Amino acid sequence: MAESNNHDSNSKPTWFTPKTLLVIFCMINMLNYVDRGAIASNGVNGSLRTCTEGGICTGGNGIQGDFNLNYFQDGVLSSAFMVGLLLASPIFASLAKSHNPFRLIGVGLSVWTFAAAGCGISWNFWSIAIFRMLVGVGEASFISLAAPFIDDNAPVAQKTAWLAMFYMCIPTGIAVGYVYGGLVGGYFNWRFAFFGEAILMLPFVVLGFAVRPLQLKGFGPVELEKTSAPEAEGYGGAVSGNGELLNYISKKTAWSKGKSDFTNQVSKFWTDFKVLFSDKVYVVNVLGYIAYNFVIGAYSYWGPKAGYAIYHMENADLMFGGVTIVCGIFGTLAGGLILDRMNSTISNAFKLLSGATFLGAIFCFSAFLSHNLYGFLVLFAIGELFVFATQGPVNFVCLHSVKPSLRPLSMAMSTVSIHIFGDVPSSPLVGVLQDAVNNWRVTSLILTSILFISSGLWSIGIFLHSVDRYDEVEAFAAEGPDSSPLLCENTADMSNESRLP
């Protein structure tokens, strides 16, 4: 009877299947990147006030025009949300060991929704910069924890394909954001783009707290600890009537316990951090990803402006958005499916990463050499197909090169690394480069050449000794529903089998 009650208490809604989880997480990820595309779009980002030699001036528009930002400030604004993301990602990854990861995602999405709405009511550069930082804090929990949930619940033969579907939302979301930001900014006002994002995210915030929390593989069940009253433990009736003394003792005990918990949390984080970055396979993978993200981050932010300046695209937002949507979807899915077909091993993942990035770099570099708009679009589209094929494999390596309990921290530190050394500096640095050379074609060619460095770094991983550690059993991981994926469609059958003599 006890076992039956326990099974019922851990049952999940019949509608909440692994595929439903994937769809929900893809939609959330899409919204995260729609926000990034929207703020980079010409409709939302806008342009500065300009004057001709004859003294005829045109008013600025969008964020840049309303707040009178130079290119460096504009680039900093694009990266401001990364500050919150970088600071909060390791914190959420560490908290996953003591708090339910699914609930942590709900908390993060709540902060994200508040911050997105805040961007819409901002009144100057510093106010919107602060709200952009809070957007990053909100996104941090999702970035760290969503991929491990998907990896747990995906079919064994389709793990990379499921990850590819999830990461397909990055280029697709950015592209949709270009179009969304352009339309909303053009027909209404750039502020309404942020209000719309907050409204669209709100149902997922509710879902994060309404659905019974899930558990990750490699983590034991999170127990709620209750501190017993001191008088019941060791002080007895001698102090039971002294309210002030009891209150003092209770506060002191709570403070001491909180200090001890914090110290233990920091110690565990540092231990896990050292284990993670002593792994050569993980480090090489992240280094290649940093160089890759340096280019992609700058592409996503400066792409529409560069396209407009070089090829005089009348609808740069729509052009870049359309190409990125198509290539992002097909390229990312193709990368995941190809790796699954090759046999999902870490060595094969590195082969695909290196080869696809090298080919993508050749086509993208050739595209910016072209002086014809249609030649540029064809070459750039082919290049993006190859470049986006890396999304599934690179995250497969992050998840499978470490033991299960380190996966949230692995994803968090990968995110921190690729942003702090990749797209955080790339947008303002490319802005500085453009201010210096004043030639978007030259700037784009210099930027694209960094993809060759990324390909070279990933090629090193092919020759490293690698072991898939996904199924590694850790000493503290208990058998049962709390130490395994809870949305597997055969969970009930597995639970029943475990009770057989």
Side-chain angles (χ1 to χ4, degrees):
M1 176 66 82
E3 289 180 337
S4 177
N5 291 337
N6 183 61
H7 176 67
D8 292 339
S9 67
N10 284 301
S11 63
K12 300 290 176 286
T14 55
W15 62 269
F16 200 36
T17 63
K19 290 181 180 178
T20 305
L21 177 74
L22 177 63
V23 170
I24 290 172
F25 278 8
C26 283
M27 293 174 72
I28 295 171
N29 206 28
M30 179 83 74
L31 276 174
N32 282 329
Y33 284 91
V34 163
D35 173 73
R36 300 189 193 183
I39 197 173
S41 70
N42 287 332
V44 172
N45 186 266
S47 60
L48 284 169
R49 178 174 178 268
T50 58
C51 295
T52 65
E53 292 181 358
I56 301 175
C57 297
T58 57
N61 57 72
I63 296 174
Q64 191 176 23
D66 285 1
F67 297 153
N68 194 31
L69 308 179
N70 58 36
Y71 280 120
F72 178 74
Q73 289 175 314
D74 201 7
V76 169
L77 187 61
S78 75
S79 303
F81 83 98
M82 298 292 185
V83 176
L85 185 69
L86 303 182
L87 293 175
S89 291
I91 295 174
F92 277 114
S94 297
L95 288 175
K97 290 191 174 184
S98 56
H99 298 75
N100 184 270
F102 200 74
R103 288 290 183 259
L104 290 175
I105 290 177
V107 172
L109 296 182
S110 301
V111 176
W112 192 98
T113 304
F114 165 79
C119 290
I121 64 172
S122 57
W123 55 93
N124 59 20
F125 169 73
W126 288 108
S127 63
I128 193 171
I130 291 171
F131 281 120
R132 295 305 298 168
M133 292 178 193
L134 289 176
V135 165
V137 172
E139 187 180 333
S141 64
F142 184 75
I143 292 297
S144 304
L145 301 169
F149 273 118
I150 293 173
D151 195 47
D152 278 348
N153 292 284
V156 175
Q158 299 175 10
K159 284 186 178 292
T160 317
W162 277 44
L163 287 172
M165 291 179 197
F166 177 71
Y167 287 103
M168 174 189 71
C169 298
I170 294 178
T172 308
I174 291 173
V176 171
Y178 287 156
V179 178
Y180 167 75
L183 292 176
V184 174
Y187 286 99
F188 302 100
N189 184 281
W190 63 267
R191 297 179 184 275
F192 287 94
F194 294 113
F195 293 143
E197 293 170 9
I199 292 171
L200 291 172
M201 185 65 82
L202 193 57
F204 299 110
V205 174
V206 175
L207 190 66
F209 292 101
V211 174
R212 186 186 296 275
L214 311 179
Q215 191 63 44
L216 284 173
K217 178 183 177 67
F219 289 81
V222 177
E223 300 291 345
L224 296 175
E225 297 182 1
K226 296 182 179 180
T227 304
S228 57
E231 66 270 22
E233 295 286 345
Y235 295 95
V239 296
S240 60
N242 193 329
E244 293 183 3
L245 181 59
L246 281 176
N247 186 51
Y248 170 78
I249 294 173
S250 177
K251 288 182 178 179
K252 187 173 181 180
T253 303
W255 182 85
S256 299
K257 183 177 183 299
K259 183 179 179 181
S260 176
D261 289 345
F262 175 77
T263 302
N264 290 336
Q265 197 79 26
V266 172
S267 177
K268 290 178 181 178
F269 170 79
W270 181 243
T271 300
D272 290 343
F273 179 87
K274 289 189 293 184
V275 171
L276 193 63
F277 281 94
S278 64
D279 189 325
K280 294 179 181 178
V281 173
Y282 178 80
V283 170
V284 166
N285 186 53
V286 171
L287 287 174
Y289 204 10
I290 288 171
Y292 168 92
N293 218 56
F294 187 97
V295 178
I296 299 302
Y299 272 177
S300 67
Y301 192 75
W302 295 115
K305 285 185 183 293
Y308 181 80
I310 299 172
Y311 299 103
H312 307 290
M313 296 180 186
E314 293 183 2
N315 297 305
D317 288 340
L318 296 177
M319 283 277 194
F320 267 84
V323 171
T324 306
I325 284 176
V326 174
C327 298
I329 291 174
F330 287 101
T332 307
L333 287 178
L337 292 171
I338 290 171
L339 183 57
D340 283 333
R341 186 64 61 91
M342 290 172 63
N343 187 11
S344 299
T345 65
I346 294 174
S347 178
N348 283 342
F350 276 123
K351 292 175 184 176
L352 184 55
L353 288 169
S354 180
T357 306
F358 184 77
L359 291 173
I362 290 175
F363 279 100
C364 288
F365 195 88
S366 301
F368 285 109
L369 287 175
S370 173
H371 290 271
N372 180 275
L373 172 60
Y374 298 104
F376 165 80
L377 289 175
V378 171
L379 291 170
F380 192 70
I382 297 173
E384 283 202 319
L385 281 171
F386 284 110
V387 167
F388 285 125
T390 61
Q391 289 299 312
V394 71
N395 288 285
F396 174 87
V397 176
C398 279
L399 290 168
H400 287 251
S401 63
V402 302
K403 58 185 180 181
S405 65
L406 285 181
R407 288 182 305 161
L409 186 62
S410 166
M411 298 306 298
M413 296 313 301
S414 170
T415 302
V416 167
S417 300
I418 66 174
H419 290 318
I420 199 169
F421 299 111
D423 53 10
V424 166
S426 72
S427 293
L429 286 177
V430 169
V432 170
L433 176 62
Q434 173 58 20
D435 285 335
V437 302
N438 196 30
N439 187 320
W440 276 111
R441 189 186 302 277
V442 173
T443 298
S444 300
L445 288 170
I446 294 172
L447 174 66
T448 302
S449 63
I450 298 174
L451 284 175
F452 292 107
I453 298 175
S454 176
S455 175
L457 288 168
W458 274 328
S459 67
I460 297 173
I462 301 173
F463 305 100
L464 295 176
H465 174 69
S466 57
V467 178
D468 192 325
R469 306 183 68 181
Y470 175 78
D471 290 320
E472 183 174 310
V473 178
E474 299 180 58
F476 67 86
E479 295 292 335
D482 287 306
S483 59
S484 61
L486 296 185
L487 285 180
C488 290
E489 292 171 347
N490 62 344
T491 298
D493 296 335
M494 291 173 62
S495 180
N496 290 332
E497 288 177 5
S498 67
R499 296 193 189 100
L500 294 175

